[in-house]
Amino acid sequence: MKIYFLGAGALGCAIGGTLAAAGSDVTLIDPFQAHVHAINRDGLRMKVGDAERVVKVRAALDSKGLEAPDLVIVLVKSFHTRSAIEGALSIIGPHTALMSLQNGMGHEEILADVAGREHVLAGKTYVGGVMLGPGNIIAGTQGKRTVIGEFDGRITERAKAIAAEFERAELPCEVSDNIMGVMWDKLLINVSTGALSGITGQVYGSLYAVPEIEATAIAAVAEAMAVAEASGVKLSIKAPRDAWVMAAQGLPYEFKTSMLQSLEKDSITEIDFINGSVVRTGQKYNVPTPVNQTLVAAIKGIERRMEAK
């Protein structure tokens, strides 16, 4: 399968590199010139558990001159989704599938608006990644599943083909007939750790050592679950603490959430698509979300401070 990754940060490289190592025809597309150059010159260096390997995979700064692939996986930062897909319309062929594996909610509507809903299917992944430097990442892939699906619940041939490609690379992947439930399940994971890690500056190991952080995380997840229930979403996660526990499973002590990684680079975060989406949906269904509102406010304050530097 010919697969392009639109956005080749830590997560795009973790999944893309694993697929490439298993024989998929992968191209990583990212505007970070030093990163693209390092991958093309030296290969992608991946730390997986205690092992390290170098994977030969193509990288490009943009999609110019590339043929239409079977699949485009979108992994840019949420706030770049529209501009990224508008700039890549030339590679969306008649039969190209377009799938977001981004954190949070709302990306699929943007992709459908720009490229056409017939191209878009949804997915969520529990794979993680940390960028160590250009062409060098930690890949949290071991035992981490990816779930994909069509919005109407059909189990289609294109979804099954994508899942098979992931499975061939030993990336657990399943096709769901309840993808909205899956997306909300993953949102609960992001809600539990992202903002709190960013606000406190803690990696997973130290984050999970503070009881007060755990209590706040569980309260935030409980709000999100109440919002999901009010909107008619069927969750598989049954208790708020389960999301907190699941978030760290299989990840090393030093693992950093994407929100913390963004703040450490003085970049704005995806808070509007994570805790912010809980707040907005809560307002729609008259479900109070004070903990998530507070987390959004704190992250927005940090972003404002960075802008003032």
Side-chain angles (χ1 to χ4, degrees):
M1 184 176 283
K2 184 187 287 291
I3 304 172
Y4 296 165
F5 281 78
L6 196 56
L11 182 53
C13 283
I15 299 174
T18 303
L19 287 168
S24 298
D25 183 357
V26 172
T27 300
L28 304 172
I29 303 171
D30 197 276
F32 183 14
Q33 189 168 8
H35 184 49
V36 167
H37 180 64
I39 293 170
N40 287 328
R41 182 190 62 206
D42 304 321
L44 176 63
R45 186 174 300 278
M46 302 175 63
K47 181 181 179 183
V48 185
D50 295 326
E52 289 194 15
R53 64 178 176 179
V54 176
V55 177
K56 285 295 181 182
V57 58
R58 287 187 305 276
L61 292 170
D62 55 47
S63 59
K64 293 177 182 176
L66 296 178
E67 298 177 354
D70 301 298
L71 172 66
V72 175
I73 296 177
V74 181
L75 277 168
V76 296
K77 290 296 185 183
S78 296
F79 41 83
H80 291 318
T81 302
R82 182 172 294 274
S83 60
I85 195 58
E86 287 176 342
L89 277 175
S90 63
I91 59 172
I92 308 299
H95 304 293
T96 299
L98 185 57
M99 181 171 74
S100 164
L101 290 178
Q102 296 156 285
N103 288 329
M105 302 281 283
H107 312 93
E108 289 77 14
E109 287 76 10
I110 296 172
L111 298 179
D113 183 51
V114 175
R117 182 164 291 276
E118 69 277 10
H119 291 284
V120 182
L121 66 163
K124 287 298 168 187
T125 187
Y126 291 86
V127 172
V130 175
M131 185 77 75
L132 299 177
N136 189 6
I137 66 159
I138 295 173
T141 57
Q142 294 176 324
K144 295 294 184 178
R145 70 189 178 107
T146 299
V147 186
I148 66 176
E150 305 282 358
F151 286 106
D152 60 8
R154 291 179 301 127
I155 306 298
T156 60
E157 291 302 317
R158 69 174 180 177
K160 290 192 289 186
I162 295 167
E165 196 79 1
F166 273 59
E167 287 283 347
R168 191 169 62 85
E170 298 184 358
L171 290 168
C173 187
E174 61 189 86
V175 181
S176 173
D177 60 3
N178 176 33
I179 196 62
M180 288 305 297
V182 170
M183 292 169 71
W184 270 91
D185 281 337
K186 178 63 193 299
L187 184 66
L188 300 183
I189 303 292
N190 296 140
V191 163
S192 71
T193 59
L196 283 163
S197 175
I199 293 163
T200 62
Q202 301 300 306
V203 299
Y204 266 29
S206 51
L207 187 77
Y208 277 72
V210 182
E212 292 84 354
I213 291 178
E214 177 177 345
T216 303
I218 290 171
V221 174
E223 288 181 357
M225 293 180 73
V227 170
E229 182 179 355
S231 61
V233 172
K234 182 181 178 182
L235 297 168
S236 65
I237 294 175
K238 302 303 181 185
R241 190 174 186 278
D242 293 346
W244 168 254
V245 172
M246 290 170 64
Q249 286 177 344
L251 297 177
Y253 182 99
E254 70 272 17
F255 192 83
K256 296 179 181 180
T257 65
S258 60
M259 204 167 297
L260 176 56
Q261 293 180 60
S262 293
L263 292 174
E264 287 184 339
K265 293 184 290 187
D266 287 343
S267 171
I268 62 173
T269 72
E270 298 174 308
I271 191 69
D272 286 331
F273 289 80
I274 301 175
N275 304 78
S277 68
V278 174
V279 173
R280 287 191 303 276
T281 311
Q283 290 169 341
K284 180 178 179 180
Y285 291 98
N286 295 315
V287 178
T289 57
V291 176
N292 282 281
Q293 285 178 311
T294 301
L295 295 175
V296 170
I299 291 291
K300 293 283 189 179
I302 294 171
E303 291 175 346
R304 176 76 177 192
R305 185 184 65 200
M306 292 187 313
E307 291 174 0
K309 283 184 178 180

